[in-house]
């Protein structure tokens, strides 16, 4: 009734700025007492209130305190609140509360509607006074004292309402004070630097029964998550008392923060709390730190429509998926967002799309289109991204050149790729990645001098810290037929590399040994490599990642392949030495089997095709029917990699066995031309 | 580390106070170590007086500034550098307060070290310090990766109820690796592991970040900007205050750009997140420096088209923007300002 009256009144007098004091159905203008307060006459102000509104002394002081607080006179408010013996009031209230029962847990507490009615009005008055005291102290910068007062509000509430607070039994004013205090306490501890207290205050807020409304609960959850993520203070795990059997309890800050943020998103999605855009950003940050961007994607997909525009959503999803290695999902999303009816000029989306397409020969042409649009749109503030666009264009064109087309088309694409990369370097002369890519592109076109210059530049710029730089230089040297130098580089690289990461270098070394006609040492190196790869397979659980090795790991099959190759080449020589022919023959079958396994694993593997083709061709000398198979495998290999010297050579052999001498001559010529510039492993293996 | 290694599910038990004799012995041992550190420092830093206790030394900005300027000398990282030797010895003492003293300079050391790598200077001194930090972390993690569980909300947790079947704590959860298992490394000469070693040093730094002085955090933000190497490039939202000076200084600043693999970017982001959102006292200068560093890293991520870094840095930048928006600065704990005050 009282509230209704005051509401009406405030509505009636909305135009007036003068405030009113009201109690027991009586009203008073604030100006009357304000004058007295300004003169420092607290006693008089108090007595005029007591008379005017028929209040007792505590009530009058509490009301005056609130008035002073609202006027921003914090010192005055504090003086007034200190004039009330709040502790005595609380003890009086506690006495009227029902006797303590068993301790309250958060969930499933027994509902007992029958409870001695707590004098809510009195409780509300006292608790609000203490709360405002805490607020005043906070605003005066005395956070430690403020925290103490605020904590006493919550302690008192727990004592007075021993069964927690529920909707039915509490008046709104009291609930408001309680909710405020619950939210304020952790912030006060945080500001006063008492981090462990802050953590327990947050948990107390979230795990006890305060009857908070959804929005304030959501705010506390978010604040706690931010605190856990960024304070740099490790929270101890939640107390055992709060853990419920069978429910998930986070072990550390990051887990607890992620849990809270995910719960928040769920609340937003179900409409239980108001959408707060910062929550998804915090969650994105936390999950990207754990490399769990696919979880971010899942969360984004569940966000209610209307929060993000669809292009925003597609682009964020594409970033998440591409970071999680799900390239085709990312490309599909980017195609949608870059459609001419959506946002075709979004630079970041264009560049990301180009990058993703540059990794896949069949998408390279599409990627080149995105890159060109990116270059065109890199203007104004974004002009610095022009170099990135050109770089992506170069990469896409280079990749496109690998897709079987005419030789003319291939060389056109290659030279355009070089032009784009050269253009990019004008913008980003200090970008080692670009230097590397330019080098590889030169190498692909067999401009080995330029390639080796860029390879060296890359190693310098990265201080030798990137493994692929070393490998690239070794490959370029091997292409220049400088095998011993290539081996020196490989050995240097082995020195710079931890044991676990040495796989690709060892493989390279073994091949270099073979090139230098040193099969025994090659076998030795392969054996060592095999031991390493097998040890890795055994010890690498899901928790061990190899930073630089991920795309580049030597798989066991590859090593067997290398060994088989080696043995088969030994058998080739054995052919010459008739006395060891049987030994060599014995190894034909396992070698062939190994390569066929390889083909089954990766049907576009050029080395496997060439190897099988070669073996069949060797055999074809005595067993003609295998020759057509060999021929088609080798032609296939050349379609994918026209610079494969071995493929040309064996194709020549096939033609020779079949009696097509002119064709054979052409093939041998191509092989011999390529031999002068053939790297020991294809350049495209390292980009 | 802020996350427990997966082998330690509970925090280490507090050291049980033994009999008073051992406690006293430990204390005197500690004191002796600290005194040795202080004495040897006073022979290196001669420009200012060294305070007599470690706790004073930790907060002494004059000494920190003197050490910083010594570190920034061109030949500071060499193997025979006194200061590097002091930092190394001090960290080896296994005294927590002395560890803090060394960690305070990690941003400067890491920043200088990585940016100087292409210059091919001898840096054995810096390397020794960084390796000591790495070795310390390797031992304390005991061959365990740092992991977190990504919760599945269909199972109940302490913060929410769910109709789904209750599951055990760690079953059926998605485990994410925050920091992979550390292999012991004898030398930093294995240059391909350089980024990982520095990254681990930064992880260690982050674990004590709440106790680091603001100057140290400013050093870190400076290092980030240098590493990102995106000076003078702007994007909507950044104010190009010092365009001319940037153009002049560009060639000099170019030198600092380094490859930024995720093992470096991840701890960098965490430290920047703290500088932007986790500091105890509102510190505008640190926040602004961190936000500039973040901007540079975001641009760098765009140049590298590194989606994970774009996501992380982009989120930090958007959060910074939201925090600056007055709309989001409402105090929800304020009482309603009614015109009618009632009891």
């Amino acid at each position: 009734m009282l509230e209704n009256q005051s509401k009406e009144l405030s509505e009636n007098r909305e135009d007036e700025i003068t405030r009113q004091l009201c109690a027991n159905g009586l009203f008073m203008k604030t100006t009357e007492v304000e004058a007295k307060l300004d003169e420092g006459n607290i006693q008089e102000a108090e007595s005029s209130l007591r008379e005017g509104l028929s209040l007792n002394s505590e009530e009058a002081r509490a009301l005056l305190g609130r008035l002073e607080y609202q006027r921003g006179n914090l010192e005055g408010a504090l003086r007034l609140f200190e004039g009330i013996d709040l502790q005595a009031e609380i003890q009086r209230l506690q006495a009227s509360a029902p006797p303590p029962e068993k301790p309250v847990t958060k969930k499933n507490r027994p509902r007992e509607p029958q409870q001695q009615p707590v004098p809510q009005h009195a409780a509300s008055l006292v608790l609000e006074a203490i709360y405002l005291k805490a607020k005043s102290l906070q605003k005066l910068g005395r956070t430690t004292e403020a925290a103490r007062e605020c904590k006493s509000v919550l302690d008192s509430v727990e004592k007075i309402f021993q069964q927690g607070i529920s909707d039915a039994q509490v008046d709104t004013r009291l609930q408001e004070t309680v909710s405020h205090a619950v939210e304020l306490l952790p912030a006060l501890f945080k500001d006063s630097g008492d981090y462990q207290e802050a953590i327990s205050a947050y948990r107390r807020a979230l795990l006890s029964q305060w009857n908070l409304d959804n929005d304030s609960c959501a705010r506390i959850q978010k604040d706690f998550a931010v605190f856990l993520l960024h304070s740099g203070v490790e929270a101890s795990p939640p107390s055992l008392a709060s853990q419920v059997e069978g429910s998930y309890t986070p072990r550390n800050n990051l887990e607890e923060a992620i849990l809270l943020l995910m719960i928040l998103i769920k609340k937003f999605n179900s409409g239980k709390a108001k959408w707060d855009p910062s929550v998804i950003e915090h969650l994105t940050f936390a999950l990207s730190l754990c490399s769990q961007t696919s979880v971010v994607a899942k969360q984004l997909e569940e966000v209610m429509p209307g929060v993000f525009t669809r292009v925003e959503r597609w682009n964020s999803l594409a970033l998440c998926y591409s970071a999680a290695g799900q390239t085709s999902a990312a490309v599909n999303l980017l195609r949608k967002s870059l459609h001419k009816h959506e946002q075709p000029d979004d630079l970041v989306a264009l560049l990301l799309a180009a990058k993703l397409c540059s990794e896949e020969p069949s998408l390279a042409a599409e990627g080149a289109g995105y890159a060109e649009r990116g270059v065109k749109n890199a203007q104004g503030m974004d002009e610095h991204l022009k170099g990135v666009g050109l770089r992506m264009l170069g990469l896409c064109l280079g990749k496109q050149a690998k897709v079987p087309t005419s030789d003319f088309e291939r060389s056109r694409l290659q030279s355009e790729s070089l032009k784009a990369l050269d253009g990019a370097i004008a913008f980003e002369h200090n970008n080692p990645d670009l230097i590397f890519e330019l080098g590889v592109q030169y190498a692909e076109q067999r401009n080995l001098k330029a390639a080796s210059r860029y390879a060296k530049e890359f190693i310098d710029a990265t201080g030798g810290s990137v493994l692929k730089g070393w490998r690239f230089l070794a490959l370029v040297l091997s292409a220049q037929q400088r095998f011993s130098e290539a081996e020196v580089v490989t050995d240097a690289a082995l020195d710079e590399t931890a044991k676990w990461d040495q796989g690709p270098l060892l493989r390279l070394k073994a091949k270099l040994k073979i090139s230098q006609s040193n099969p025994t040492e090659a076998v030795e190196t392969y054996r060592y490599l095999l031991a390493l790869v097998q040890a890795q397979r055994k010890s690498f659980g899901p928790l061990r990642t190899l930073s630089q090795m991920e795309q580049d790991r030597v798989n066991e099959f590859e090593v067997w392949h290398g060994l088989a190759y080696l043995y088969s080449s030994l058998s080739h020589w054995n052919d010459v030495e008739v006395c060891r022919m049987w030994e060599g023959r014995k190894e034909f079958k396992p070698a062939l089997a190994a390569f066929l396994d390889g083909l089954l694993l990766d049907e576009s593997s050029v080395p496997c095709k060439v190897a099988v083709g070669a073996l069949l061709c060797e055999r074809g000398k005595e067993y003609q029917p295998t020759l057509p198979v060999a021929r088609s495998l080798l032609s296939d290999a050349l379609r994918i990699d026209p610079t494969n010297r071995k493929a040309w050579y064996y194709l020549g052999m096939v033609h020779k066995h079949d009696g097509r001498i002119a064709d054979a001559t052409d093939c041998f010529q191509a092989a011999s031309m390529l031999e002068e510039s053939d790297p020991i492993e294809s350049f495209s293996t390292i980009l | 580390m802020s996350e427990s290694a997966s082998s330690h599910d509970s925090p280490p038990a507090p050291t049980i106070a033994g009999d008073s004799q051992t406690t006293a012995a430990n204390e005197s041992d500690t004191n002796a170590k600290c005194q040795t550190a202080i004495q040897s420092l006073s022979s290196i830093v001669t420009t200012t007086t060294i305070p007599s206790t470690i706790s004073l030394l930790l907060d002494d900005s004059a000494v920190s500034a003197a050490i910083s300027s010594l570190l920034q000398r061109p030949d500071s990282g060499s193997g025979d550098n006194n200061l590097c030797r002091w930092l190394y010895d001090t960290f080896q003492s296994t005294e927590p307060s002395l560890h803090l003293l060394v960690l305070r300079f990690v941003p400067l050391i890491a920043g200088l070290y990585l940016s100087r790598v292409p210059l091919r200077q001898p840096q054995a001194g810096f390397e020794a310090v960084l390796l000591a930090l790495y070795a310390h972390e390797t031992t304390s993690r005991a061959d365990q990766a740092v992991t977190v569980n990504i919760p599945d909300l269909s199972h109940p947790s302490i913060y929410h109820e769910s109709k789904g079947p209750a599951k055990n704590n760690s079953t059926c959860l998605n485990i994410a690796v925050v920091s992979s298992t550390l292999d012991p490394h004898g030398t930093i000469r294995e240059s391909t592991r350089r980024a990982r070693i520095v990254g681990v040093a930064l992880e260690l730094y982050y674990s004590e970040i709440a106790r680091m002085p603001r100057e140290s955090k400013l050093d870190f933000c400076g290092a980030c900007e240098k590493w990102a190497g995106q000076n003078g490039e702007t994007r909507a939202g950044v104010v190009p205050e010092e365009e001319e000076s940037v153009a002049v200084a560009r060639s000099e600043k170019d030198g600092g750009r380094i490859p930024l693999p995720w093992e470096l970017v991840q701890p960098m982001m965490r430290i920047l997140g703290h500088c932007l959102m986790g500091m105890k006292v509102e510190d505008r200068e640190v926040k602004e420096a961190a936000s500039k560093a973040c901007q540079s890293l975001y641009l760098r991520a765009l140049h590298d088209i590194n989606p994970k870094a774009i996501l992380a840095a982009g989120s930090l930048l958007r959060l910074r923007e939201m925090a600056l928006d007055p709309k989001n600065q409402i105090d929800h704990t304020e009482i309603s300002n009614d015109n009618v005050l009632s009891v």
Side-chain angles (χ1 to χ4, degrees):
Chain A
M1 199 176 72
L2 201 106
E3 272 177 24
N4 285 346
Q5 258 182 338
S6 61
K7 211 181 206 171
E8 272 168 37
L9 231 133
S10 67
E11 274 163 15
N12 291 343
R13 299 177 175 234
E14 234 164 16
D15 312 333
E16 294 180 33
I17 309 158
T18 49
R19 279 185 286 196
Q20 295 230 338
L21 298 163
C22 129
N24 301 324
L26 301 166
F27 289 89
M28 228 175 128
K29 281 208 170 117
T30 52
T31 40
E32 291 171 35
V33 276
E34 273 170 13
K36 290 186 180 116
L37 285 172
D38 291 341
E39 287 161 18
N41 270 331
I42 297 177
Q43 297 291 341
E44 270 183 46
E46 186 192 318
S47 58
S48 74
L49 268 193
R50 284 165 66 179
E51 282 159 29
L53 302 173
S54 66
L55 296 170
N56 67 30
S57 155
E58 273 72 35
E59 289 170 329
R61 278 178 179 263
L63 196 54
L64 284 176
R66 183 171 172 139
L67 178 64
E68 285 288 56
Y69 176 81
Q70 288 200 343
R71 294 166 75 210
N73 189 357
L74 302 169
E75 302 278 4
L78 268 186
R79 265 197 303 279
L80 280 157
F81 291 131
E82 272 155 11
I84 314 174
D85 189 353
L86 297 162
Q87 288 313 314
E89 293 287 322
I90 285 172
Q91 268 161 17
R92 211 159 49 79
L93 286 169
Q94 263 170 254
S96 68
E101 286 171 34
K102 58 188 172 191
V104 191
T105 52
K106 184 194 164 194
K107 275 150 210 165
N108 308 327
R109 65 210 160 76
R111 288 259 162 159
E112 283 181 30
Q114 194 39 53
Q115 183 186 350
Q116 285 237 323
V118 177
Q120 299 221 348
H121 180 71
S124 165
L125 183 83
V126 176
L127 293 176
E128 187 183 279
I130 309 176
Y131 178 72
L132 288 180
K133 196 172 165 190
K135 278 301 277 186
S136 308
L137 287 165
Q138 179 201 18
K139 289 186 180 175
L140 290 167
R142 291 152 68 179
T143 42
T144 314
E145 292 163 76
R148 203 178 52 223
E149 294 297 332
C150 192
K151 189 163 186 279
S152 83
V153 174
L154 298 184
D155 291 344
S156 311
V157 171
E158 275 182 346
K159 281 178 197 148
I160 299 169
F161 301 93
Q162 301 210 345
Q163 305 208 319
I165 304 172
S166 74
D167 264 334
Q169 52 178 206
V170 78
D171 82 12
T172 36
R173 179 108 170 235
L174 178 58
Q175 178 65 57
E176 202 176 291
T177 306
V178 173
S179 304
H180 279 156
V182 168
E183 193 169 345
L184 181 63
L185 185 60
L188 289 174
F189 278 128
K190 206 170 65 181
D191 289 345
S192 65
D194 201 339
Y195 282 179
Q196 291 308 325
E197 283 290 349
I199 291 163
S200 33
Y202 275 122
R203 291 203 177 121
R204 186 179 179 189
L206 296 173
L207 295 172
S208 309
Q209 195 76 13
W210 301 109
N211 193 34
L212 299 176
D213 66 80
N214 280 325
D215 279 333
S216 60
C217 180
R219 280 197 303 274
I220 297 169
Q221 286 179 325
K222 185 187 96 174
D223 286 350
F224 189 27
V226 174
F227 179 83
L228 288 166
L229 278 178
H230 299 297
S231 68
V233 179
E234 182 60 17
S236 51
S239 69
L240 283 170
S242 62
Q243 299 182 14
V244 182
E245 179 61 38
S247 73
Y248 167 65
T249 308
R251 288 175 310 158
N252 55 48
N253 279 20
L254 207 47
E255 277 181 12
E256 199 163 354
I258 291 172
L259 173 65
L260 287 166
L261 293 168
M262 282 169 98
I263 291 174
L264 278 170
I265 298 278
K266 202 175 165 192
K267 276 188 191 170
F268 297 149
N269 290 343
S270 61
K272 281 198 193 125
K274 211 168 95 247
W275 171 259
D276 176 347
S278 66
V279 170
I280 191 83
E281 300 294 348
H282 284 299
L283 187 59
T284 306
F285 179 76
L287 287 170
S288 348
L289 289 182
C290 324
S291 302
Q292 292 293 310
T293 52
S294 57
V295 182
V296 182
K298 216 173 124 213
Q299 297 287 325
L300 281 172
E301 272 166 356
E302 283 168 12
V303 167
M304 299 286 284
V307 172
F308 300 113
T309 67
R310 59 183 168 196
V311 174
E312 261 173 353
R313 188 197 291 247
W314 287 331
N315 286 346
S316 315
L317 281 173
L319 280 171
C320 293
Y321 282 127
S322 71
Q326 300 176 38
T327 307
S328 65
V331 172
N332 281 335
L333 286 158
L334 289 169
R335 278 185 190 134
K336 288 203 266 184
S337 79
L338 289 170
H339 189 270
K340 64 172 187 279
H341 295 313
E342 304 291 346
Q343 285 181 18
D345 295 338
D346 187 292
L347 194 51
V348 178
L350 283 169
L351 294 176
L352 180 62
K355 160 100 184 283
L356 294 173
C357 290
S358 77
E359 289 156 11
E360 180 59 52
S362 60
L363 296 176
E366 186 185 345
Y370 295 135
E372 269 170 354
R373 276 155 67 186
V375 173
K376 213 170 66 200
N377 284 307
Q379 283 166 350
M381 291 290 255
D382 290 327
E383 198 170 351
H384 63 98
L385 288 170
K386 194 165 245 164
V388 186
L390 284 168
R391 183 176 146 217
M392 289 307 132
L393 182 61
L395 289 182
C396 285
L397 292 169
K399 200 59 138 194
Q400 209 185 334
K402 291 195 195 314
V403 183
T405 41
S406 66
D407 278 348
F408 171 74
E409 186 64 7
R410 189 191 306 277
S411 65
R412 184 188 68 83
L413 287 168
Q414 280 182 339
S415 75
E416 273 185 28
S417 160
L418 259 189
K419 208 173 93 190
L421 290 174
D422 264 329
I425 214 148
F427 289 89
E428 299 195 29
H429 60 98
N430 59 352
N431 184 345
D433 290 328
L434 181 55
I435 291 168
F436 180 79
E437 286 147 5
L438 200 53
V440 174
Q441 201 47 239
Y442 273 117
E444 297 259 25
Q445 292 178 41
R446 296 295 186 270
N447 184 341
L448 297 176
K449 228 168 135 188
S452 86
R453 201 179 65 234
Y454 281 113
K456 283 177 194 152
E457 209 178 306
F458 177 75
I459 292 177
D460 277 347
T462 57
S465 66
V466 185
L467 191 57
K468 65 180 182 182
W470 294 102
R471 277 186 66 204
F472 179 47
L473 182 58
L475 287 183
V476 173
L477 288 169
S478 79
Q480 291 174 318
Q481 313 300 306
R482 290 150 72 180
F483 295 119
S484 60
E485 283 167 75
E487 205 184 324
V488 171
V489 170
T490 313
D491 284 338
L494 283 168
D495 273 350
E496 301 278 348
T497 310
K499 273 222 164 48
W500 285 114
D501 298 350
Q502 288 179 345
L505 292 169
L506 288 170
R507 184 183 56 199
L508 194 62
K509 186 169 172 166
K511 289 181 184 171
L512 285 168
K513 293 277 186 205
I514 299 170
S515 303
Q516 295 173 91
S517 310
N518 203 341
T520 346
E521 283 180 34
V523 170
E524 210 47 49
T525 311
Y526 266 130
R527 280 199 185 136
Y528 186 69
L529 175 59
L530 198 59
L532 176 77
V533 172
Q534 285 174 338
Q536 277 175 341
R537 193 189 53 196
K538 278 175 199 140
S539 73
F540 283 177
L543 304 188
R544 193 188 287 259
T545 50
L546 283 175
S547 50
Q548 289 194 26
M549 289 303 100
E550 267 164 70
Q551 301 96 18
D552 210 17
R553 263 178 78 174
V554 179
N555 62 23
E556 201 176 331
F557 155 73
E558 249 184 302
V559 184
W560 286 114
H561 174 186
L563 267 175
Y565 215 101
L566 188 53
Y567 283 132
S568 71
S569 66
L570 284 174
S571 83
H572 183 69
W573 299 329
N574 288 351
D575 251 5
V576 187
E577 299 172 45
V578 182
C579 59
R580 295 177 66 191
M581 196 179 82
W582 290 107
E583 208 181 321
R585 271 289 166 266
K586 260 190 282 178
E587 283 164 6
F588 170 78
K589 274 198 173 158
L592 184 61
F595 292 134
L596 287 176
D597 280 351
L599 267 182
L600 285 174
L601 284 176
D602 176 9
E603 53 181 275
S604 65
S605 159
V606 172
C608 281
K609 283 185 177 164
V610 177
V612 175
L615 282 169
L616 292 175
C617 159
E618 292 286 299
R619 215 173 170 206
K621 278 182 285 189
E622 295 109 41
Y623 190 60
Q624 289 276 335
T626 57
L627 284 177
V629 182
R631 187 177 160 192
S632 93
L633 275 171
L634 291 166
S635 315
D636 223 25
L638 284 173
R639 197 170 51 81
I640 300 167
D641 180 10
T643 56
N644 193 307
R645 173 177 58 85
K646 288 208 174 79
W648 284 114
Y649 170 77
Y650 286 111
L651 190 60
M653 292 300 275
V654 170
H655 286 312
K656 196 179 124 201
H657 293 320
D658 267 353
R660 290 184 298 273
I661 300 303
D663 286 345
T665 320
D666 284 348
C667 289
F668 289 139
Q669 210 159 26
S672 87
M673 268 163 66
L674 283 168
E675 182 162 23
E676 283 149 31
S677 62
D678 202 24
I680 204 131
E681 287 177 347
S682 161
F683 289 120
S684 49
T685 56
I686 48 174
L687 192 62
Chain B
M1 262 329 285
S2 81
E3 290 76 34
S4 53
S6 49
S7 66
H8 316 291
D9 279 359
S10 54
T15 42
I16 300 141
D19 54 326
S20 53
Q21 258 187 330
T22 37
T23 320
N26 282 344
E27 241 167 60
S28 72
D29 187 33
T30 301
N31 276 339
K33 279 177 185 166
C34 294
Q35 282 314 312
T36 320
I38 287 170
Q39 270 167 22
S40 43
L41 182 63
S42 58
S43 67
I44 300 163
V45 176
T46 47
T47 48
T48 175
T49 44
I50 311 288
S52 55
T53 66
I54 286 294
S55 53
L56 288 174
L57 184 53
L58 273 171
D59 297 325
D60 193 314
S61 55
V63 176
S64 297
I67 295 180
S68 300
S69 75
L70 284 177
L71 282 174
Q72 274 161 319
R73 285 190 184 170
D75 57 346
S76 56
S78 65
D80 54 358
N81 185 281
N82 286 336
L83 186 54
C84 286
R85 170 138 302 181
W86 179 80
L87 286 165
Y88 178 84
D89 291 340
T90 306
F91 190 82
Q92 294 293 9
S93 73
T94 67
E95 188 52 45
S97 57
L98 291 177
H99 276 187
L100 289 182
L101 200 54
V102 177
L103 285 177
R104 186 241 171 273
F105 295 102
V106 161
L108 212 51
I109 294 172
L112 291 167
Y113 173 67
L114 287 182
S115 293
R116 280 179 187 175
V117 160
L119 307 179
R120 294 175 173 276
Q121 279 175 350
Q123 301 204 80
F126 284 160
E127 284 170 355
V129 178
L130 290 167
L131 269 177
L133 304 183
Y134 183 87
H136 173 81
E137 247 337 70
T138 311
T139 321
S140 63
R141 288 192 201 171
D143 206 26
Q144 295 291 326
V146 181
T147 60
V148 295
N149 292 314
I150 305 298
D152 173 357
L153 291 196
S154 61
H155 305 306
S157 77
I158 54 165
Y159 292 118
H160 82 297
E161 291 167 7
S162 168
K163 288 181 207 87
K167 291 260 174 159
N168 266 344
N169 211 354
S170 55
T171 50
C172 294
L173 289 165
N174 187 3
I175 293 181
V177 179
V178 180
S179 179
S180 59
T181 316
L182 302 179
D183 297 315
H185 289 284
T187 68
I188 207 164
R189 287 226 25 131
E190 288 164 357
S191 57
T192 52
R193 302 301 285 169
R194 198 180 281 139
R196 181 70 180 133
I197 289 166
V198 176
V200 170
L202 293 181
E203 287 173 13
L204 189 57
Y205 176 75
Y206 176 75
S207 70
E208 295 290 353
I209 187 106
R211 296 158 84 180
M212 291 294 132
R214 58 190 298 277
E215 287 77 18
S216 173
K217 293 171 189 171
L218 288 172
D219 287 342
F220 179 77
C221 297
C224 287
E225 267 196 87
K226 224 164 90 183
W227 287 344
Q230 298 300 134
N231 300 288
E233 283 154 355
T234 52
R235 207 179 139 76
V238 209
V239 189
E241 295 163 7
E242 11 167 39
E243 203 125 45
E244 293 119 52
S245 65
V246 162
V248 179
R250 174 139 193 161
S251 55
E252 175 201 321
K253 282 185 175 178
D254 270 355
R257 191 189 202 271
I258 58 161
L260 284 179
W262 183 246
E263 51 205 357
L264 274 177
V265 174
Q266 191 234 38
M268 284 162 75
M269 287 294 169
R270 299 190 82 173
I271 297 168
L272 288 179
H274 167 85
C275 294
L276 286 172
M277 284 175 279
M279 303 247 307
K280 190 162 73 183
V281 190
E282 188 73 8
D283 190 327
R284 262 194 70 183
E285 197 187 351
V286 173
K287 273 194 180 178
E288 256 156 43
S291 131
K292 263 171 82 182
C294 216
Q295 189 78 44
S296 311
L297 283 174
Y298 180 72
L299 289 175
R300 173 63 187 273
L302 285 183
H303 277 247
D304 291 349
I305 318 186
N306 176 350
K308 208 162 25 169
I310 293 177
L311 284 169
S315 288
L316 282 185
L317 286 178
R318 279 187 294 276
L319 285 167
R320 172 83 181 128
E321 242 168 70
M322 287 179 205
L324 291 174
D325 187 346
K327 216 170 57 210
N328 295 321
Q329 290 167 349
I330 304 163
D331 180 1
H332 290 281
T333 62
E334 192 56 272
I335 56 165
S336 53
N337 206 359
D338 296 328
N339 280 337
V340 175
L341 281 70
S342 64
V343 178

